[in-house]
Amino acid sequence: MLRVGMLTSGGDCQSLNAAMRGVAKSLYGSVKDVKIYGFLEGYKGLIYNNYKEMNPGDFSGILTEGGTILGSSRQPFKLMTVPDENGLDKVKAMKETYAKLKLDCLVILGGNGTQKTANLLSREGLNIVSLPKTIDNDLWGTDITFGFQSAVDIATNAIDCIHTTASSHGRVFIVEVMGHKVGWITLHAGIAAGADVILIPEIPYDIKKVIKTLNERTKKGKNFSILAVAEGAISKEDAALSKKELKKKLAESPYPSVSYKLGEEITKATGQEVRITVPGHMQRGGSPCPYDRVISTMFGAQAARLIMDKKFGYMVAMVNNEITEVPLKDIAGKLKTVDPDCTTIRDAKLLGIGFGD
Ligand code: F6P
């Protein structure tokens, strides 16, 4: 009998269910006797022994369903080695649950923090296979994560909708896109929806340059402009502050987010009316786009292959358009940011899109 544990951890995204279905259907179809245990609410389920025995029917009809049938929760990596409020050693507890259920392996679906804990469990001797999930697309070692393309679709649609009303009213619109540390969604949705300015955390902006781009559009007779701004976009002056200084400045800021500060600065400098739209968690919700359904299904099938081959300590990945796997120890804790000199940005600049630099 093959005994497999499964959990989804961290912020959810589209296609988590499709990926789990990919693993389960591949295993049920190829191994004679399989038992899958689903841990509820991420690592919490593994720590506190909260799981359910799954059957093939649980993985049926979920290909197109958003969210996760197992639930998820954020369990910060740095707190994993800190006892809980009752003094429970979380790592020891996870190992005990794994041993109690006599698991042959654990399949972990998650983003950056989740992969760090997956690597920790692998180093502790558990058989781990992980899958790259996050709308942010910021996992090192894989060209793409599932969830990203669906989020790009939603953010693009939001900017498309804004485009028509911005043009009717001759206003400047800022659409704030998810991504605190990286600007992948903003960059792709911004280009896809024809934004005039794209601001991402990897390229600290100079407000004067942003204003210049907007004024040039006005000079050309354009009566509106669209800015796609990542929630983690940062000005050059803020980027020069220490982590501590920046934290203090943000805590004391009267603005709910960077977009509101930008909006005020733009109105002051150009006299133009500015409106702000924040699609927020919509970007993580709903049914996965077809591309995500395909790659998460293939990622799931690859995870099943690794389990059948007893190849553990790996994250399934897409490298140069091929589905493969990368050692967890090589990727855990590394962030894949947008390279400011990449061809996507160079081409966007050639088209006249401003990046505020
Ligand atoms: O990691 C995915 C993500 O949606 C980020 O883009 C965003 O900054 C963050 O999660 C929001 O976190 P929460 O759902 O905890 O508010």
Side-chain angles (χ1 to χ4, degrees):
M1 150 107 56
L2 178 68
R3 303 166 77 90
V4 179
M6 205 178 268
L7 64 87
T8 54
S9 170
D12 72 343
C13 74
Q14 302 88 344
S15 252
L16 278 163
N17 289 328
M20 287 191 278
R21 170 183 173 272
V23 181
K25 283 195 105 163
S26 306
L27 289 178
Y28 287 134
S30 311
V31 182
K32 201 164 159 267
D33 212 359
V34 189
K35 188 157 258 338
I36 298 180
Y37 296 87
F39 294 100
L40 306 180
E41 292 179 50
Y43 286 115
K44 246 194 209 172
L46 189 61
I47 298 169
Y48 298 106
N49 213 8
N50 191 12
Y51 61 87
K52 64 175 178 189
E53 282 188 40
M54 314 291 283
N55 59 57
D58 291 321
F59 297 98
S60 191
I62 61 169
L63 171 65
T64 62
E65 248 180 54
T68 157
I69 54 167
L70 295 180
S72 192
S73 65
R74 289 199 187 276
Q75 299 291 315
F77 172 70
K78 60 177 182 216
L79 295 183
M80 280 299 184
T81 45
V82 176
D84 78 356
E85 57 283 8
N86 299 315
L88 181 81
D89 180 330
K90 295 172 200 155
V91 177
K92 193 167 161 244
M94 289 191 280
K95 287 167 72 177
E96 279 170 4
T97 306
Y98 182 97
K100 189 188 93 179
L101 294 174
K102 297 188 178 60
L103 295 181
D104 294 298
C105 73
L106 183 61
V107 179
I108 297 175
L109 295 86
N112 262 305
T114 302
Q115 302 295 341
K116 282 197 257 181
T117 301
N119 186 42
L120 168 77
L121 293 177
S122 173
R123 277 195 281 118
E124 288 286 328
L126 306 197
N127 293 333
I128 305 291
V129 171
S130 72
L131 291 166
K133 157 256 68 159
T134 168
I135 62 163
D136 291 336
N137 194 32
D138 59 355
L139 275 175
W140 189 266
T142 185
D143 298 342
I144 197 142
T145 58
F146 61 84
F148 170 62
Q149 200 58 58
S150 301
V152 169
D153 281 5
I154 293 168
T156 301
N157 193 26
I159 305 174
D160 284 348
C161 293
I162 290 301
H163 229 117
T164 56
T165 174
S167 118
S168 308
H169 288 269
R171 287 168 170 160
V172 171
F173 261 92
I174 298 175
V175 181
E176 187 172 291
V177 178
M178 271 190 163
H180 266 302
K181 293 185 182 150
V182 300
W184 290 106
I185 311 175
T186 313
L187 177 62
H188 283 244
I191 292 174
D196 308 297
V197 174
I198 296 176
L199 302 181
I200 59 173
E202 293 89 337
I203 307 179
Y205 68 86
D206 177 346
I207 186 65
K208 290 197 205 89
K209 298 274 173 63
V210 175
I211 303 292
K212 190 166 169 262
T213 306
L214 299 178
N215 284 339
E216 276 164 8
R217 275 182 60 79
T218 309
K219 264 188 232 148
K220 281 186 202 150
K222 308 276 187 189
N223 74 337
F224 74 96
S225 291
I226 309 270
L227 293 89
V229 174
E231 56 186 347
I234 185 165
S235 66
K236 275 195 191 323
E237 61 198 26
D238 282 358
L241 297 175
S242 69
K243 243 183 169 178
K244 201 173 155 197
E245 288 167 332
L246 181 62
K247 207 173 161 194
K248 185 168 181 284
K249 189 172 173 188
L250 291 178
E252 289 166 0
S253 165
Y255 307 104
S257 71
V258 63
S259 299
Y260 292 84
K261 178 170 177 269
L262 272 165
E264 205 171 283
E265 288 169 331
I266 292 168
T267 302
K268 208 165 151 198
T270 67
Q272 284 178 289
E273 206 178 339
V274 180
R275 292 285 189 274
I276 293 151
T277 296
V278 185
H281 287 76
M282 272 179 67
Q283 292 161 92
R284 277 199 347 222
S287 189
C289 68
Y291 180 76
D292 273 339
R293 295 179 199 181
V294 173
I295 60 162
S296 55
T297 298
M298 292 169 76
F299 281 157
Q302 181 68 359
R305 247 178 241 121
L306 295 180
I307 294 167
M308 291 187 280
D309 292 347
K310 297 188 171 39
K311 193 169 174 184
F312 301 117
Y314 287 86
M315 179 184 81
V316 175
M318 168 99 77
V319 180
N320 298 331
N321 242 358
E322 294 285 339
I323 304 277
T324 180
E325 64 278 345
V326 289
L328 265 170
K329 64 175 171 39
D330 294 350
I331 59 99
K334 294 187 195 162
L335 201 66
K336 185 184 70 187
T337 55
V338 176
D339 173 3
D341 294 321
C342 68
T343 47
T344 315
I345 292 191
R346 286 214 308 266
D347 292 351
K349 284 184 175 173
L350 201 58
L351 261 74
I353 299 175
F355 283 81
D357 58 341

